[in-house]
Every structure is written in structure tokens, then in C-alpha cells.
Amino acid sequence: MSKVLASLRYSAEHEWVDASTPTKVGITQVAADALGDVVYVDLPEVGDSITAGETCGEVESTKSVSDLYAPVTGTIVAVNQDAIDNPAILNEDPYGAGWLFTVEVTEEGPLLSAADYASANGGDVA
Amino acid sequence: MSDPKKTSLHAKHAELGASFTDFGGWDMPLKYGSELAEHKAVRATAGLFDLSHMGEVWVEGPEAAKFLNSALAGNMAIMAVGRAKYSVICNEAGGIIDDLITYRRGEEKFLVVPNAGNAPVVAAALAERAAGFDVVVTDASADTSLIAVQGPASVAILHELVDEATKSLVSDMKYYAADDATVAGFDVLLARTGYTGEDGFELYLPNDQAPALWEALMNAGANHGLIPAGLACRDSLRLEAGMPLYGNELSLEGNPFEANLGPIVSFKKEEDFTGRKALEAIKAEGAKKVLVGLKGLGRRAGRGGYPVSVDGTQIGAVTSGQPSPTLGYPVALAYVEPAFAEIGTKVDVDLRGKPEAFEVVALPFYTRAK
């Protein structure tokens, strides 16, 4: 069963955000498991503005390609070059080494608690 | 929709932690862990596949060869006993009902293996076309399991499960040949065929024996790097090998000539066969589109349905596409206008609004070292 971390909050589109400033963003293990082996990620660049609920990149697996949606509105502060160079870390460690980018948040999108995200998408809250 | 069917190995897959997908009306293992790891295992060592969703239709009788020549597009009558042949079954318009493998098990005995979803249609078409021939068509799909061992370690794995005499039968068996053999104590039809571009074997046997044979193969293969492999890697493996998939590259709307399967259509055989007249006309006229291999020059993969264009004008569409795990770049099969089918032609694949550069390359994308 895919893991849902209690310490994070989630978008309905399967991104997670943490509580730090700037805020770190990644995709959930539920999403990574459903996608299959991730082979390519297309991320926004440092300095780009992203808008909650709008697409800001793509995650491509062997089988399919999915849009990445911004869970928050703000400006990109850093992107995880390791995730670009070695997309498999999104499968191996989606909540850790597989983070995608950090954002200086001006406004949050609708975010779910771990319990609400897990009840909507399956997964064990840990 | 009725519930998807389950193979006799379904419980084994569940035990192994497989994630399942509906395929051709069957609840089949998509992957057990990582589809990339399964893909790489088949290329480097071996993978174990449950293909029990495939159909098995026996054709027996004095006119079996003659009948198959009238029912299928290929020439089955010239096939030697013990060999296998890839063919297609067409409708009157030359459309492809299915692509299939036929094994000649005796002078008057053949086994036809259609694809999962098409098996009932093929069995029905064969039964219907058998009228007037001295032949018996028996659909054994529901009772027959099929397990495939694919990969360079396949011979070594089978050697652990057969007696001394059978060892040489296994290692000397030609590609696209088959024989009766006893493997792990089970009498199987052992065929050196597959759909992965690797060396490998397919083992046909009754459903009730399949779980024990699966177990024996898993145990024997453990020291040879064999892992269970699901449909996800089966698709990426067959794509690298440039093999068409029914529903993607092949369909009732298409014909063998567009799919580069012209050479398997036999106009020389004396029998009239279903679709002959239409196929002769299609051949004379020339195909309107042709299946080509595309290599991605960037990192992004084309997917089924994505438009292919040259200078902004659409000239075709992708039918299957993925990043190739073995080659490290995206590969795709696409139907394009014949004028753009030449090797080296530069095309763009529209990745949801963004053009990505691809190049027409020779098929297959991947060929195993012999």
C-alpha cells in the first residue's frame, strides 16, 4: 500500500507540500506508483511564477505522461536537479530525495490533510 | 461488462504482489514491482510471463492444411511438422481480424494461437470457415495455460527441469519450432517462440498443472536471475523488437501491406483465402500509409495517437511509443504517408502541442546479440 505522510498536505492532483519556507513540493507515492517507473520530468525554472491549479510541468513514465499541477501560487526558488538527472528517485523516494522544487508561496491552492488525501486516493497514512 | 476473466495463475500473481490490469477481458499482471527492472531482466537474464489469456485453437483432420490455407493469409501447408509460423487472419475486405502463431504438430494437426481479446472471434471465424472441409476445429483456450520464459538464461533454466535427453532437445531447438517435452514432470508443448526479441520458450499445458509448473520455473530460475514479468514490460520489449500489437498497429481497418506484413501474405498458394481478392487489389494499388520506426532525438516519448508532421503538415500518427529502456532514447511505431517512410526522414511528433524531433529508422529498434 502506498504511503501518505501525515506531516504533509496534498493537492487533489497528487502533489504534496511541506510546512517549510520556501515550501517544498513533490508528487505522492500514490501518484508515483500509479505512473510506474518515471523516466522524465519537466519542471519549471528558478524564478518562474506558478499558479495553484495550473500545470507547471510534466512527469513521464514508461507507460504514460501526466501533467504536474502547481499546488500553490508563488515563485520557484530551487529545482531538484537530481530528479531531472535521475527521475527514478521519484519512485524510490517521492517524499525525500525525489522532491521536485521549492516555492516562495504567495497563495495556497486547496490542500488536503493526509487523512483526507488518503481516504480519497487510498494509501496508508504514516 | 462482465467481470474480467482470471488465469489459473492469478493467485500466484497476487501472492507475488502484482498490480493488475484489464487486458482483452482478462485480469492480468501489469507488473510485480518495477516494469523497468522486469524489462531489463528479460534482456539480461530472464523473465517469466503468464500468457494464459492467449487463445489455443486446435485444427485437426485430413484437410487441416488445406483448410488453414483458405482461412489464413499465409501458406500453412508448406510448413514442416514441428515448426511454427506467424500469420494473419483477414476478413473479406483484407482487414486484419488478428495476427497469430500457428504450430504444425502433425501432418493433419495444427495449433492456432490468437490474441487474448480476439480469441473468441478467431475461434468462431475458423469454425465458420471450416464448413465443407474434412477438419475439426476445437477451441481449447479455456482449458489451456501458457507460460513463457524469455531471456538469455532461458535454456539454462529449462535445463534444470528436464532429463538428459531433453536437454539437447531444448538447446538444439530452432527459433519458431516446437516439440512435446516433459518439464518439471509435466508434459508440455515446448515452443521456441516469444514476443520480446529475446531467446525464450513458451510452454503450453492444461490449466490445473500451470501453478505447479510456474512454481518450478520460478525456483529453477532464481539462481539465473529470473523474475516474474508483467504486461507493462511485455509491451516495451515487443516495441523495442519492432513487433506490431493488435489494437495498436493492427486492426480490421488496416491491412497487412500497410503493416509491413506483405511478405507473410501468400498469393502463390493455390487455395482461395478469405480476403485474397481485396488484398490483391490493395497490393496492386499500393499502400496509402506505411508503418515505420521512429527514434526520438530528444528525451520525450511519442505516444499512441500523437500526430506526426513534416513542416507543420500532418503526415501520420504514432501507434505505440515509449522511452526505450534498453536503448536509452524514445522509440515509436507510426503510420506515415509512403513519401515520408524513407530511413533518415526527419519528422516532428506533436507532444500535446509541442513538436519534438524524431527520425525514421530501420526496424527493429533492438536486435539481440546472437
Side-chain angles (χ1 to χ4, degrees), chain B residues 268-351:
Chain B
K268 282 191 189 148
K269 64 182 176 183
E270 57 191 37
E271 293 85 0
D272 191 18
F273 61 93
T274 311
R276 177 171 201 140
K277 194 178 277 181
L279 289 170
E280 280 172 345
I282 290 164
K283 190 187 180 186
E285 212 173 298
K288 302 254 188 314
K289 55 180 183 174
V290 55
L291 189 65
V292 297
L294 298 180
K295 170 187 177 172
L297 304 180
R299 288 180 65 182
R300 316 288 314 280
R303 307 284 177 177
Y306 286 11
V308 179
S309 61
V310 170
D311 297 332
T313 304
Q314 187 175 348
I315 52 107
V318 171
T319 48
S320 297
Q322 278 195 33
S324 162
T326 308
L327 302 169
Y329 52 78
V331 296
L333 291 171
Y335 277 110
V336 299
E337 293 172 17
F340 301 96
E342 205 167 310
I343 306 297
T345 305
K346 299 278 194 295
V347 302
D348 289 320
V349 174
D350 180 356
L351 302 181

Coordinates of all heavy atoms in Angstrom, one line a residue, chain B residues 268-351:
Chain B
K268 N 0.7 -17.0 -53.8 CA 1.2 -18.1 -54.6 C 0.4 -19.4 -54.3 O 0.3 -20.3 -55.2 CB 2.7 -18.4 -54.4 CG 3.6 -17.4 -55.2 CD 5.0 -17.8 -55.2 CE 5.9 -16.7 -55.7 NZ 7.2 -16.7 -55.1
K269 N 0.0 -19.5 -53.1 CA -0.7 -20.8 -52.7 C -2.0 -20.9 -53.6 O -2.6 -19.9 -54.0 CB -1.1 -20.8 -51.2 CG -2.0 -19.7 -50.8 CD -2.3 -19.8 -49.2 CE -3.2 -18.7 -48.8 NZ -3.3 -18.8 -47.3
E270 N -2.3 -22.2 -53.9 CA -3.4 -22.4 -54.8 C -4.8 -22.1 -54.2 O -5.7 -21.8 -54.9 CB -3.4 -23.8 -55.4 CG -3.4 -24.9 -54.3 CD -3.1 -26.3 -54.8 OE1 -2.2 -26.4 -55.7 OE2 -3.8 -27.3 -54.4
E271 N -4.9 -22.3 -52.9 CA -6.2 -22.1 -52.3 C -6.7 -20.6 -52.4 O -5.9 -19.7 -52.2 CB -6.2 -22.5 -50.8 CG -6.0 -24.0 -50.6 CD -4.5 -24.4 -50.6 OE1 -3.7 -23.5 -50.8 OE2 -4.2 -25.6 -50.4
D272 N -8.0 -20.4 -52.6 CA -8.5 -19.1 -52.4 C -8.6 -18.9 -50.9 O -8.9 -19.8 -50.2 CB -9.9 -19.0 -53.0 CG -10.5 -17.6 -53.1 OD1 -9.6 -16.7 -53.0 OD2 -11.7 -17.4 -53.2
F273 N -8.3 -17.7 -50.4 CA -8.4 -17.5 -49.0 C -9.2 -16.2 -48.7 O -9.3 -15.3 -49.5 CB -7.1 -17.4 -48.3 CG -6.1 -16.4 -48.8 CD1 -6.1 -15.1 -48.1 CD2 -5.3 -16.5 -49.9 CE1 -5.2 -14.1 -48.6 CE2 -4.5 -15.5 -50.3 CZ -4.4 -14.3 -49.7
T274 N -9.8 -16.2 -47.5 CA -10.6 -15.0 -47.2 C -9.8 -13.7 -47.3 O -8.8 -13.6 -46.6 CB -11.2 -15.2 -45.8 OG1 -11.8 -16.5 -45.7 CG2 -12.3 -14.1 -45.5
G275 N -10.3 -12.8 -48.1 CA -9.6 -11.5 -48.2 C -8.6 -11.5 -49.4 O -8.1 -10.4 -49.7
R276 N -8.5 -12.6 -50.1 CA -7.5 -12.7 -51.2 C -7.7 -11.6 -52.2 O -6.8 -10.8 -52.6 CB -7.5 -14.0 -51.9 CG -6.6 -14.1 -53.0 CD -6.5 -15.6 -53.6 NE -5.2 -15.7 -54.3 CZ -4.4 -16.7 -54.3 NH1 -4.7 -17.8 -53.5 NH2 -3.3 -16.8 -55.0
K277 N -9.0 -11.5 -52.7 CA -9.3 -10.6 -53.8 C -9.0 -9.1 -53.4 O -8.3 -8.4 -54.1 CB -10.8 -10.7 -54.2 CG -11.1 -10.0 -55.5 CD -12.6 -10.3 -55.9 CE -12.8 -11.6 -56.5 NZ -14.2 -11.8 -56.9
A278 N -9.5 -8.8 -52.2 CA -9.2 -7.4 -51.7 C -7.7 -7.1 -51.5 O -7.3 -6.1 -51.8 CB -10.0 -7.2 -50.3
L279 N -7.0 -8.1 -51.0 CA -5.6 -7.9 -50.7 C -4.8 -7.8 -52.0 O -3.8 -7.0 -52.1 CB -5.0 -9.1 -49.9 CG -5.5 -9.0 -48.4 CD1 -5.1 -10.3 -47.7 CD2 -4.9 -7.8 -47.7
E280 N -5.2 -8.5 -53.1 CA -4.6 -8.4 -54.4 C -4.7 -7.0 -54.9 O -3.8 -6.4 -55.4 CB -5.1 -9.4 -55.4 CG -4.5 -10.8 -55.1 CD -5.1 -11.9 -56.0 OE1 -6.3 -11.7 -56.5 OE2 -4.5 -13.0 -56.0
A281 N -5.9 -6.4 -54.7 CA -6.2 -5.1 -55.2 C -5.4 -4.0 -54.4 O -4.9 -3.1 -54.9 CB -7.7 -4.8 -55.1
I282 N -5.4 -4.3 -53.1 CA -4.6 -3.3 -52.2 C -3.1 -3.4 -52.6 O -2.5 -2.3 -52.6 CB -4.8 -3.7 -50.7 CG1 -6.2 -3.4 -50.2 CG2 -3.8 -3.0 -49.8 CD1 -6.6 -4.1 -48.9
K283 N -2.6 -4.5 -52.8 CA -1.2 -4.6 -53.2 C -0.9 -3.9 -54.5 O 0.0 -3.2 -54.7 CB -0.8 -6.1 -53.3 CG 0.7 -6.2 -53.4 CD 1.2 -7.6 -53.7 CE 2.7 -7.6 -53.8 NZ 3.3 -8.9 -54.2
A284 N -1.8 -4.1 -55.5 CA -1.7 -3.5 -56.8 C -1.7 -2.0 -56.7 O -1.0 -1.3 -57.4 CB -2.7 -4.1 -57.8
E285 N -2.6 -1.5 -55.9 CA -2.8 -0.1 -55.7 C -1.7 0.6 -55.0 O -1.4 1.7 -55.2 CB -4.1 0.1 -55.0 CG -4.9 1.4 -55.4 CD -6.2 1.4 -54.7 OE1 -7.0 0.4 -55.0 OE2 -6.5 2.3 -53.9
G286 N -1.1 -0.2 -54.1 CA 0.0 0.4 -53.2 C -0.6 0.9 -51.9 O -1.7 1.5 -51.9
A287 N 0.1 0.7 -50.8 CA -0.4 1.1 -49.5 C -0.5 2.6 -49.4 O 0.3 3.4 -49.9 CB 0.4 0.6 -48.4
K288 N -1.6 3.1 -48.8 CA -1.8 4.6 -48.6 C -0.9 5.1 -47.4 O -0.7 6.3 -47.3 CB -3.3 4.8 -48.3 CG -4.2 4.4 -49.4 CD -4.7 5.5 -50.2 CE -5.8 5.1 -51.1 NZ -5.5 3.9 -51.9
K289 N -0.6 4.2 -46.5 CA 0.2 4.6 -45.4 C 1.1 3.4 -45.1 O 0.8 2.3 -45.5 CB -0.6 5.0 -44.2 CG -1.6 3.9 -43.8 CD -2.4 4.3 -42.6 CE -3.4 3.2 -42.1 NZ -4.1 3.5 -40.9
V290 N 2.2 3.7 -44.3 CA 3.1 2.6 -44.1 C 3.6 2.7 -42.6 O 3.8 3.8 -42.1 CB 4.3 2.5 -45.1 CG1 5.0 3.9 -45.2 CG2 5.2 1.4 -44.9
L291 N 3.8 1.5 -42.0 CA 4.3 1.5 -40.6 C 5.8 1.7 -40.6 O 6.5 1.0 -41.3 CB 3.9 0.2 -40.0 CG 4.1 0.1 -38.5 CD1 3.2 1.0 -37.7 CD2 3.9 -1.4 -38.0
V292 N 6.3 2.7 -39.8 CA 7.7 2.9 -39.7 C 8.1 3.0 -38.3 O 7.3 3.2 -37.4 CB 8.1 4.3 -40.4 CG1 7.8 4.2 -41.9 CG2 7.4 5.5 -39.7
G293 N 9.4 2.9 -38.1 CA 10.0 3.1 -36.8 C 10.5 4.5 -36.6 O 11.1 5.0 -37.6
L294 N 10.3 5.1 -35.5 CA 10.8 6.5 -35.2 C 11.7 6.5 -34.0 O 11.3 5.8 -33.0 CB 9.6 7.4 -35.0 CG 8.6 7.7 -36.1 CD1 7.5 8.6 -35.6 CD2 9.3 8.2 -37.3
K295 N 12.8 7.1 -34.1 CA 13.7 7.3 -33.0 C 13.6 8.8 -32.5 O 13.7 9.7 -33.3 CB 15.1 7.0 -33.5 CG 16.2 7.3 -32.5 CD 17.6 7.2 -33.1 CE 18.7 7.6 -32.1 NZ 20.0 7.3 -32.5
G296 N 13.4 9.0 -31.3 CA 13.3 10.3 -30.7 C 14.7 10.9 -30.6 O 15.6 10.3 -30.1
L297 N 14.8 12.1 -31.0 CA 16.1 12.8 -30.9 C 16.3 13.6 -29.6 O 17.4 13.9 -29.2 CB 16.4 13.7 -32.1 CG 16.2 13.0 -33.5 CD1 16.4 14.0 -34.7 CD2 17.2 11.8 -33.6
G298 N 15.1 13.8 -29.0 CA 15.2 14.4 -27.6 C 14.9 13.3 -26.6 O 15.0 12.1 -26.8
R299 N 14.4 13.8 -25.4 CA 14.1 12.8 -24.4 C 12.7 12.4 -24.3 O 12.3 11.4 -23.6 CB 14.6 13.4 -23.0 CG 16.1 13.4 -22.9 CD 16.5 14.0 -21.5 NE 16.1 13.2 -20.4 CZ 16.3 13.5 -19.1 NH1 16.9 14.7 -18.8 NH2 15.9 12.7 -18.1
R300 N 11.8 13.2 -24.9 CA 10.4 13.0 -24.8 C 9.9 11.9 -25.7 O 10.3 11.8 -26.8 CB 9.6 14.3 -25.1 CG 10.2 15.5 -24.4 CD 10.0 15.6 -23.0 NE 8.6 15.2 -22.6 CZ 7.6 16.1 -22.7 NH1 7.8 17.3 -23.1 NH2 6.4 15.7 -22.4
A301 N 8.9 11.1 -25.2 CA 8.4 10.0 -25.9 C 7.1 10.4 -26.6 O 6.3 11.1 -26.1 CB 8.1 8.8 -25.0
G302 N 6.9 9.9 -27.9 CA 5.6 10.0 -28.5 C 4.7 8.8 -28.0 O 5.2 7.8 -27.6
R303 N 3.5 9.1 -28.0 CA 2.5 8.1 -27.5 C 1.5 7.8 -28.6 O 1.3 8.6 -29.5 CB 1.8 8.6 -26.2 CG 2.7 9.0 -25.1 CD 3.4 7.9 -24.4 NE 4.3 8.3 -23.4 CZ 5.0 7.6 -22.6 NH1 4.8 6.3 -22.6 NH2 5.8 8.0 -21.7
G304 N 0.8 6.7 -28.4 CA -0.2 6.3 -29.4 C -1.2 7.4 -29.6 O -1.7 8.0 -28.7
G305 N -1.5 7.7 -30.9 CA -2.4 8.8 -31.3 C -1.8 10.1 -31.5 O -2.4 11.0 -32.1
Y306 N -0.5 10.3 -31.1 CA 0.1 11.6 -31.3 C 0.3 11.9 -32.8 O 0.8 11.0 -33.5 CB 1.4 11.7 -30.5 CG 1.3 11.9 -29.0 CD1 0.1 11.7 -28.4 CD2 2.4 12.2 -28.3 CE1 0.0 11.8 -27.0 CE2 2.3 12.4 -26.9 CZ 1.1 12.2 -26.3 OH 1.0 12.3 -24.9
P307 N 0.0 13.1 -33.3 CA 0.3 13.3 -34.7 C 1.7 13.4 -35.1 O 2.6 13.8 -34.3 CB -0.4 14.7 -34.9 CG -1.2 14.9 -33.7 CD -0.6 14.2 -32.6
V308 N 2.0 12.9 -36.3 CA 3.4 13.0 -36.9 C 3.3 14.0 -38.0 O 2.4 13.9 -38.9 CB 3.9 11.7 -37.4 CG1 5.3 11.8 -38.0 CG2 3.9 10.6 -36.3
S309 N 4.2 15.0 -38.0 CA 4.1 16.0 -39.1 C 5.5 16.3 -39.7 O 6.5 16.0 -39.1 CB 3.5 17.3 -38.5 OG 4.3 17.8 -37.5
V310 N 5.5 16.9 -40.9 CA 6.7 17.4 -41.5 C 6.4 18.8 -42.0 O 5.3 19.1 -42.6 CB 7.1 16.6 -42.7 CG1 8.2 17.2 -43.6 CG2 7.5 15.2 -42.3
D311 N 7.2 19.8 -41.6 CA 6.9 21.2 -41.9 C 5.5 21.7 -41.5 O 4.9 22.4 -42.2 CB 7.2 21.5 -43.4 CG 8.6 21.2 -43.8 OD1 9.5 21.3 -42.9 OD2 8.8 20.9 -45.0
G312 N 5.1 21.2 -40.4 CA 3.8 21.6 -39.9 C 2.6 20.9 -40.5 O 1.4 21.2 -40.1
T313 N 2.8 20.0 -41.4 CA 1.7 19.3 -42.1 C 1.6 17.9 -41.5 O 2.6 17.2 -41.6 CB 1.8 19.3 -43.6 OG1 1.9 20.6 -44.1 CG2 0.6 18.6 -44.3
Q314 N 0.5 17.5 -41.1 CA 0.4 16.1 -40.5 C 0.5 15.1 -41.6 O -0.2 15.1 -42.6 CB -0.9 15.9 -39.7 CG -0.9 14.5 -39.0 CD -2.1 14.3 -38.1 OE1 -2.9 15.2 -37.8 NE2 -2.2 13.0 -37.7
I315 N 1.4 14.1 -41.4 CA 1.6 13.1 -42.4 C 1.4 11.7 -41.8 O 1.6 10.7 -42.5 CB 3.0 13.2 -43.0 CG1 4.1 13.2 -42.0 CG2 3.2 14.4 -43.9 CD1 4.9 12.0 -41.8
G316 N 1.0 11.6 -40.6 CA 0.7 10.3 -40.0 C 0.4 10.4 -38.5 O 0.2 11.5 -38.0
A317 N 0.5 9.3 -37.8 CA 0.2 9.3 -36.4 C 1.0 8.1 -35.7 O 1.2 7.1 -36.3 CB -1.3 9.2 -36.1
V318 N 1.4 8.3 -34.5 CA 2.0 7.3 -33.7 C 1.0 6.2 -33.3 O -0.1 6.6 -33.0 CB 2.7 7.9 -32.4 CG1 3.2 6.8 -31.5 CG2 3.8 8.9 -32.8
T319 N 1.4 5.0 -33.3 CA 0.5 3.9 -32.8 C 1.0 3.3 -31.5 O 0.2 2.9 -30.7 CB 0.5 2.8 -33.9 OG1 1.8 2.4 -34.3 CG2 -0.3 3.2 -35.1
S320 N 2.3 3.3 -31.3 CA 2.9 2.9 -30.0 C 4.1 3.7 -29.8 O 4.9 3.9 -30.7 CB 3.3 1.4 -30.0 OG 2.3 0.5 -30.2
G321 N 4.4 4.1 -28.5 CA 5.6 4.9 -28.3 C 6.0 4.9 -26.8 O 5.1 4.9 -26.0
Q322 N 7.2 4.8 -26.6 CA 7.7 4.7 -25.2 C 9.2 5.1 -25.2 O 9.9 5.0 -26.2 CB 7.7 3.3 -24.7 CG 6.3 2.9 -24.1 CD 6.5 1.6 -23.3 OE1 7.5 1.4 -22.6 NE2 5.5 0.8 -23.4
P323 N 9.7 5.5 -24.0 CA 11.2 5.6 -23.9 C 11.7 4.2 -23.9 O 11.2 3.3 -23.2 CB 11.4 6.2 -22.5 CG 10.0 6.6 -22.0 CD 9.0 5.8 -22.7
S324 N 12.7 3.9 -24.7 CA 13.3 2.5 -24.8 C 14.2 2.3 -23.6 O 15.3 3.0 -23.5 CB 14.0 2.3 -26.1 OG 14.9 1.2 -26.0
P325 N 13.9 1.4 -22.7 CA 14.8 1.2 -21.6 C 16.1 0.6 -22.0 O 17.1 0.9 -21.4 CB 14.0 0.1 -20.7 CG 12.6 0.2 -21.2 CD 12.7 0.6 -22.6
T326 N 16.2 -0.2 -23.1 CA 17.4 -0.8 -23.5 C 18.3 0.2 -24.2 O 19.5 0.3 -24.0 CB 17.2 -2.0 -24.4 OG1 16.3 -2.8 -23.7 CG2 18.5 -2.7 -24.7
L327 N 17.7 1.0 -25.1 CA 18.5 1.9 -26.0 C 18.7 3.3 -25.4 O 19.6 4.0 -25.8 CB 17.7 2.0 -27.3 CG 17.5 0.7 -28.0 CD1 16.5 0.8 -29.2 CD2 18.8 0.1 -28.5
G328 N 17.9 3.7 -24.5 CA 18.1 5.0 -23.8 C 17.5 6.2 -24.6 O 17.8 7.3 -24.2
Y329 N 16.8 5.9 -25.6 CA 16.1 7.0 -26.3 C 14.6 6.6 -26.6 O 14.3 5.4 -26.6 CB 16.8 7.5 -27.5 CG 17.2 6.4 -28.5 CD1 16.2 5.9 -29.4 CD2 18.5 5.9 -28.6 CE1 16.6 4.9 -30.3 CE2 18.8 4.9 -29.5 CZ 17.9 4.4 -30.4 OH 18.2 3.4 -31.2
P330 N 13.8 7.6 -26.9 CA 12.4 7.2 -27.2 C 12.3 6.5 -28.5 O 13.0 6.9 -29.5 CB 11.6 8.6 -27.2 CG 12.5 9.5 -26.5 CD 13.9 9.1 -26.8
V331 N 11.4 5.5 -28.6 CA 11.1 4.8 -29.8 C 9.6 4.8 -30.0 O 8.8 4.9 -29.1 CB 11.6 3.4 -29.9 CG1 13.2 3.4 -29.8 CG2 11.0 2.6 -28.8
A332 N 9.2 4.8 -31.3 CA 7.8 4.7 -31.6 C 7.5 4.0 -32.9 O 8.4 4.0 -33.8 CB 7.2 6.2 -31.7
L333 N 6.4 3.4 -33.0 CA 5.9 2.9 -34.3 C 4.8 3.9 -34.8 O 4.0 4.4 -33.9 CB 5.3 1.5 -34.2 CG 6.3 0.4 -33.9 CD1 5.5 -0.9 -33.5 CD2 7.2 0.2 -35.0
A334 N 4.8 4.2 -36.1 CA 3.8 5.2 -36.6 C 3.5 4.9 -38.0 O 4.3 4.3 -38.7 CB 4.5 6.6 -36.5
Y335 N 2.2 5.2 -38.3 CA 1.8 5.1 -39.7 C 2.0 6.4 -40.4 O 1.6 7.4 -39.8 CB 0.4 4.7 -39.8 CG 0.1 3.2 -39.7 CD1 -0.5 2.6 -38.6 CD2 0.6 2.3 -40.8 CE1 -0.6 1.2 -38.6 CE2 0.4 1.0 -40.7 CZ -0.2 0.4 -39.6 OH -0.4 -0.9 -39.5
V336 N 2.8 6.5 -41.5 CA 3.0 7.7 -42.2 C 2.7 7.5 -43.7 O 2.7 6.4 -44.2 CB 4.5 8.2 -42.0 CG1 4.8 8.5 -40.5 CG2 5.5 7.3 -42.6
E337 N 2.6 8.7 -44.4 CA 2.4 8.6 -45.8 C 3.7 8.0 -46.4 O 4.8 8.3 -45.9 CB 2.1 10.0 -46.4 CG 0.8 10.6 -45.9 CD 0.6 12.0 -46.3 OE1 1.4 12.5 -47.2 OE2 -0.2 12.7 -45.7
P338 N 3.5 7.2 -47.4 CA 4.7 6.5 -48.0 C 5.8 7.4 -48.4 O 7.0 7.0 -48.3 CB 4.1 5.7 -49.2 CG 2.7 5.5 -48.9 CD 2.3 6.7 -48.1
A339 N 5.5 8.6 -48.8 CA 6.6 9.6 -49.2 C 7.5 9.9 -48.1 O 8.6 10.4 -48.3 CB 5.9 10.8 -49.8
F340 N 7.1 9.7 -46.9 CA 7.9 10.1 -45.7 C 8.4 8.8 -44.9 O 8.8 9.0 -43.8 CB 7.1 11.0 -44.8 CG 6.6 12.2 -45.4 CD1 5.3 12.3 -45.9 CD2 7.5 13.3 -45.5 CE1 4.9 13.4 -46.6 CE2 7.0 14.5 -46.2 CZ 5.7 14.5 -46.7
A341 N 8.4 7.7 -45.6 CA 8.8 6.5 -44.9 C 10.3 6.1 -45.0 O 10.7 5.2 -44.4 CB 7.9 5.3 -45.4
E342 N 11.0 6.9 -45.8 CA 12.4 6.5 -46.0 C 13.2 6.7 -44.8 O 13.1 7.7 -44.0 CB 13.0 7.4 -47.1 CG 14.1 6.8 -47.8 CD 14.5 7.6 -49.1 OE1 13.5 7.9 -49.9 OE2 15.6 8.0 -49.3
I343 N 14.2 5.8 -44.6 CA 15.1 5.8 -43.4 C 15.8 7.2 -43.4 O 16.3 7.6 -44.5 CB 16.1 4.7 -43.4 CG1 15.5 3.3 -43.6 CG2 17.1 4.7 -42.2 CD1 14.6 2.9 -42.5
G344 N 15.9 7.8 -42.3 CA 16.6 9.1 -42.2 C 15.7 10.3 -42.3 O 16.1 11.4 -42.0
T345 N 14.4 10.1 -42.7 CA 13.5 11.2 -42.8 C 13.2 11.9 -41.4 O 13.0 11.2 -40.5 CB 12.1 10.7 -43.4 OG1 12.3 10.1 -44.6 CG2 11.2 11.9 -43.6
K346 N 13.4 13.2 -41.4 CA 13.2 13.9 -40.1 C 11.7 14.3 -40.0 O 11.1 14.8 -41.0 CB 14.0 15.2 -40.1 CG 15.5 14.9 -40.1 CD 16.1 14.5 -38.8 CE 17.6 14.6 -38.7 NZ 18.2 13.6 -39.6
V347 N 11.1 14.0 -38.9 CA 9.7 14.3 -38.7 C 9.5 14.9 -37.3 O 10.5 14.9 -36.5 CB 8.8 13.1 -38.8 CG1 8.9 12.4 -40.1 CG2 9.1 12.1 -37.7
D348 N 8.4 15.6 -37.0 CA 8.1 16.0 -35.7 C 6.9 15.2 -35.2 O 5.9 14.9 -35.9 CB 7.6 17.5 -35.7 CG 8.8 18.4 -36.0 OD1 9.9 18.2 -35.5 OD2 8.6 19.4 -36.8
V349 N 7.0 14.8 -33.9 CA 5.9 14.2 -33.2 C 5.3 15.3 -32.3 O 6.0 15.9 -31.5 CB 6.3 13.0 -32.4 CG1 5.1 12.5 -31.6 CG2 6.8 11.9 -33.4
D350 N 4.0 15.5 -32.4 CA 3.3 16.6 -31.6 C 3.1 16.0 -30.2 O 2.2 15.2 -30.0 CB 2.0 17.0 -32.3 CG 1.3 18.0 -31.5 OD1 1.7 18.4 -30.4 OD2 0.2 18.5 -32.0
L351 N 3.9 16.5 -29.3 CA 3.7 16.1 -27.9 C 2.8 17.0 -27.2 O 3.2 18.0 -26.5 CB 5.0 16.0 -27.1 CG 6.1 15.1 -27.7 CD1 7.4 15.1 -26.9 CD2 5.6 13.7 -27.8

